[in-house]
Amino acid sequence: MSHTTSGQPPRQRLLQTPLRRVRGSGSAKQGTHHWWMQRVSSIALLPLTIWFIVSLATSAGMTHVEAVLWIRQPLNAVLLLALVALTFQHTASGLQVVIEDYTNQEWLKIALILAVKGICWLLGIAAVLAVVRIVALPIAV
């Protein structure tokens, strides 16, 4: 016997509990993972953001060459790359939740999620390439 209620008369459907009506529908199995990834990325972003803000505050007045030399330090480069990657991942994930919660039409929901993820990927790649280019290329004075 099927768990769906579409073949039942309307009166019998009304007498069922909400749990009985949804039983058999299954789940996407993504909610818990998505929730945990949001929490983990936000916890990881906290110290990275504090480091970045403190670094910017203490480096006010740097020349371009001094800023490039600062980015070229291995620890700073790695932390910048981690900040960029986690920021765009967290942004895409958070916007996906907002879109899923507030968009009613399925085609629009899918289109918006794909657009947000695509934009975040492109901007993330551009930011990573900028850091890698600064680290790898000689300093132009």
Side-chain angles (χ1 to χ4, degrees), residues 6 12 23 26 36 46 50 53 62 76 114 129 134 136-137:
S6 59
Q12 190 175 1
R23 188 162 288 180
W36 271 109
L46 186 61
I50 291 170
I53 290 170
M62 270 191 196
N76 292 338
L114 288 174
L129 286 176
I134 288 171
L137 293 179

Side-chain angles (χ1 to χ4, degrees), residues 57-126:
T58 58
S59 63
M62 270 191 196
T63 66
H64 178 267
V65 173
E66 291 170 333
V68 168
L69 290 173
W70 180 84
I71 293 171
R72 285 182 162 208
Q73 294 174 13
L75 179 64
N76 292 338
V78 168
L79 292 176
L80 273 175
L81 291 172
L83 179 67
V84 165
L86 282 169
T87 298
F88 284 109
Q89 183 275 331
H90 187 77
T91 301
S93 185
L95 287 173
Q96 178 180 342
V97 170
V98 171
I99 291 166
E100 288 171 346
D101 288 346
Y102 296 105
T103 307
N104 295 328
Q105 297 175 343
E106 195 64 28
W107 69 270
L108 182 59
K109 187 182 300 187
I110 292 169
L112 288 172
I113 290 171
L114 288 174
V116 163
K117 288 191 177 204
I119 290 168
C120 284
W121 268 96
L122 289 174
L123 292 174
I125 290 170

